[in-house]
Amino acid sequence: MTAPPARLLSAASNVAAKVLQGGVADLRPVPRVLIDQGPNRSVYRMTSTGGGPAPAGPPVLLVPPLAAPALCFDLRRGCSLAEHLVEQGRRTYLVDYGNVAFSDRRLGIEHWIEEVLPRAVRKVSADSGGQGVHVVAWCLGGIFSLLTAADQPKLPIESITTIASPFDFTAIPLVAPFRPLVEFTGGHLLTPFYRALGGAPSYLVSRVFKATGLSKEITKPLAILRNLDDRDFLAQIEAVDHFMGNMAAYPGRTFGQIYHRFFRANDLAEGGVDLGGRAISLSAVKVPTLVIAGENDTIAPRQAVQRLVGLLENSPDVRFEVSPGGHLGVLTGRRARGTTWRHVDGFLDEQLTSS
């Protein structure tokens, strides 16, 4: 079947843009101003590109996971949650952990929930005139945000939204085949490697992330050929490749805690975690919480994410939603604007009317 002339022209234009201009995706970041900086912490106030409403109302703080770059919230123009929030006139902030070095290998989860996130929350609150902060977090960022809120209930946190954050690691099919081997070795299967390397190196993190979508990686060349006339499709692939190329490392001690406490012991599914002899219970979270799962997510499947709902027994309002997309797609895929972002918008708006 011969392609229509319009499709052939679009395909030719896209090929020319990829060859002559380096790509078709608009990867310009949302403008931002640095308002705070410290170890493993840069806090930015996102600003408008012009033409939109002036920022107003309570602040929204975007919290990424470790290892994944903060550009997960600003993937590309048109598929950027940060851009979307700014265009709505919301005061939008982003915390960026930067690159993790070998010298950071002794940093544990405590560093992120006792220092990095509390300082970011307090700074955002102060920068917005002392208002309470609405946290929107992805993947491990959601886990750390909830542990922070549970550990420090006096922080000015008004609500938390978690997107693709797993709380029952036994419900993740990808890791199930490795459990017998892990238990057979007494949990020491990975320990010598992450200790020797000082953590999980960025190149390894990127390869593991790609492996979770191996079928898509294999068929990607064919998908590109079939969609050469679809600029938005090609732009999304370019943006995801850019994201994958900017993965960071996990600090050694943090990786070890995630491996032993979350993966092996599955502590989170029981409602808390023990860090250095100090127990943190999710029952201490007392703010409204929105929980979003991706219907095609293999890293954080629906059941793994939904487990959180039953653990927030003292939260005044817990919502659960499922949106299309895989682990990254549910946050910033091409359908996220009409699904995930709509849930986030509605939840944030309700917090305004109820406050």
Side-chain angles (χ1 to χ4, degrees), residues 83-101:
E83 178 188 41
H84 171 74
L85 294 171
V86 169
E87 286 178 345
Q88 286 192 322
R90 301 188 194 274
R91 300 178 192 268
T92 306
Y93 297 80
L94 172 71
V95 58
D96 188 339
Y97 311 128
N99 292 321
V100 172

Side-chain angles (χ1 to χ4, degrees), residues 35-47:
I35 64 167
D36 185 48
Q37 195 167 37
N40 309 107
R41 182 187 78 255
S42 294
V43 182
Y44 297 94
R45 183 196 314 119
M46 316 304 278
T47 62

Side-chain angles (χ1 to χ4, degrees), residues 112-309:
W112 313 98
I113 67 175
E114 293 176 2
E115 292 291 331
V116 175
L117 292 184
R119 289 180 182 273
V121 168
R122 292 191 185 100
K123 185 61 181 181
V124 168
S125 176
D127 190 73
S128 58
Q131 298 186 82
V133 179
H134 296 272
V135 173
V136 177
W138 178 55
C139 189
L140 191 63
I143 296 174
F144 282 12
S145 295
L146 283 163
L147 291 176
T148 299
D151 186 54
Q152 302 192 38
K154 293 185 179 180
L155 282 172
I157 296 176
E158 290 295 316
S159 75
I160 298 176
T161 295
T162 68
I163 302 172
S165 300
F167 281 80
D168 183 357
F169 281 64
T170 64
I172 303 176
L174 280 174
V175 301
F178 300 100
R179 284 194 171 277
L181 183 58
V182 168
E183 295 307 318
F184 177 75
T185 60
H188 298 296
L189 179 65
L190 296 179
T191 303
F193 298 101
Y194 72 72
R195 285 182 176 173
L197 296 171
S202 58
Y203 65 84
L204 181 60
V205 174
S206 179
R207 281 168 172 74
V208 170
F209 201 96
K210 286 183 178 179
T212 63
L214 185 59
S215 60
K216 287 187 176 180
E217 282 294 310
I218 293 173
T219 60
K220 185 166 71 173
L222 181 59
I224 291 174
L225 287 174
R226 286 176 173 172
N227 293 276
L228 275 178
D229 62 316
D230 187 339
R231 179 165 289 226
D232 193 57
F233 178 88
L234 299 177
Q236 187 71 3
I237 287 182
E238 287 180 9
V240 171
D241 286 344
H242 176 65
F243 167 84
M244 297 297 296
N246 282 276
M247 287 290 191
Y250 280 101
R253 185 162 175 267
T254 298
F255 182 82
Q257 289 171 309
I258 293 171
Y259 171 55
H260 289 288
R261 303 316 320 164
F262 296 176
F263 170 62
R264 278 194 65 217
N266 203 30
D267 284 349
L268 291 175
E270 301 303 317
V273 65
D274 186 290
L275 296 175
R278 190 173 89 261
I280 301 176
S281 174
L282 292 170
S283 63
V285 175
K286 298 180 179 179
V287 298
T289 304
L290 170 63
V291 181
I292 301 176
E295 64 182 9
N296 306 117
D297 194 340
T298 56
I299 295 177
R302 173 176 177 160
Q303 186 178 350
V305 174
Q306 193 171 8
R307 179 71 183 108
L308 173 62
V309 176

